[in-house]
Amino acid sequence: MLSRPYSSRIRLEMSDLSHSLGKAITRGGQMRVFISSVRRGLEEERDALPGLITAIGHTPIRFEDFGATDLPSREACLAGVGNAELYLLILGPNYGHRFLDTHQSPTHDEWAAATAAGIPRLVYRKDGVQFEKDQEEFIQEIGNYTSGVFYDTSHPPQTF
């Protein structure tokens, strides 16, 4: 059950996201924002974010919009991270498939690529869900005091 109308939820998210984007990048102009997450368990958030990012004057980048390409999917996603000016990570309950070579999920690989490239990173952790063990370990790495970042908590859409 929604505690507020859907439009109020969007205004709240736009305000929070706009404030965070402004803090992450101080230079003016339009930014390319790479949206990174496992889709399963975050479908509604992933579908809403491009409109929110566009509404505040920036360009979203996400795998759903890549279309047909001759690049392997993994390479296309990592290139998308490299072309972004801000990396936006949404952490939901699922860690995702582990690659044999890196022993990490695609989202974890994208996080590592953004970190290595020095791309500013914003992280939101979904509240009110049960995280897989691998995802909990990834969250601990992200929040590591010496090498990680502070992150914010986002509430499940039905609580807005």
Side-chain angles (χ1 to χ4, degrees):
M1 175 147 91
L2 296 174
S3 58
R4 293 189 203 164
Y6 184 74
S7 60
S8 295
R9 188 184 87 209
I10 290 175
R11 278 196 299 276
L12 174 64
E13 290 174 353
M14 283 181 61
S15 173
D16 291 348
L17 186 59
S18 180
H19 177 72
S20 294
L21 287 171
K23 286 173 45 179
I25 303 277
T26 56
R27 66 175 181 244
Q30 186 180 42
M31 290 185 300
R32 292 180 308 276
V33 179
F34 188 88
I35 302 167
S36 181
S37 77
V38 173
R39 181 150 178 87
R40 187 171 40 103
L42 293 170
E43 296 87 352
E44 187 173 350
E45 291 85 351
R46 285 192 66 86
D47 291 343
L49 278 170
L52 298 174
I53 291 168
T54 300
I56 59 175
H58 304 291
T59 303
I61 303 170
R62 62 185 189 140
F63 75 84
E64 293 95 331
D65 301 324
F66 287 171
T69 177
D70 62 345
L71 289 176
S73 301
R74 182 182 190 185
E75 191 176 327
C77 287
L78 293 175
V81 171
N83 289 323
E85 295 160 303
L86 181 74
Y87 174 83
L88 177 60
L89 175 59
I90 310 298
L91 297 164
N94 303 300
Y95 180 74
H97 165 80
R98 282 186 182 267
F99 292 116
L100 294 177
D101 58 342
T102 64
H103 305 288
Q104 298 178 156
S105 70
T107 304
H108 201 149
D109 280 354
E110 292 163 3
W111 167 262
T115 301
I119 298 169
R121 301 158 295 162
L122 286 178
V123 180
Y124 290 89
R125 179 180 182 259
K126 189 168 184 174
D127 195 18
V129 297
Q130 182 68 36
F131 293 93
E132 294 176 345
K133 181 182 181 288
D134 289 343
Q135 187 73 329
E136 282 288 356
E137 291 171 5
F138 183 35
I139 290 168
Q140 288 177 6
E141 178 183 328
I142 289 166
N144 180 286
Y145 188 69
T146 55
S147 62
V149 297
F150 290 116
Y151 55 82
D152 205 346
T153 301
S154 66
H155 301 284
Q158 62 272 23
T159 64
F160 289 115

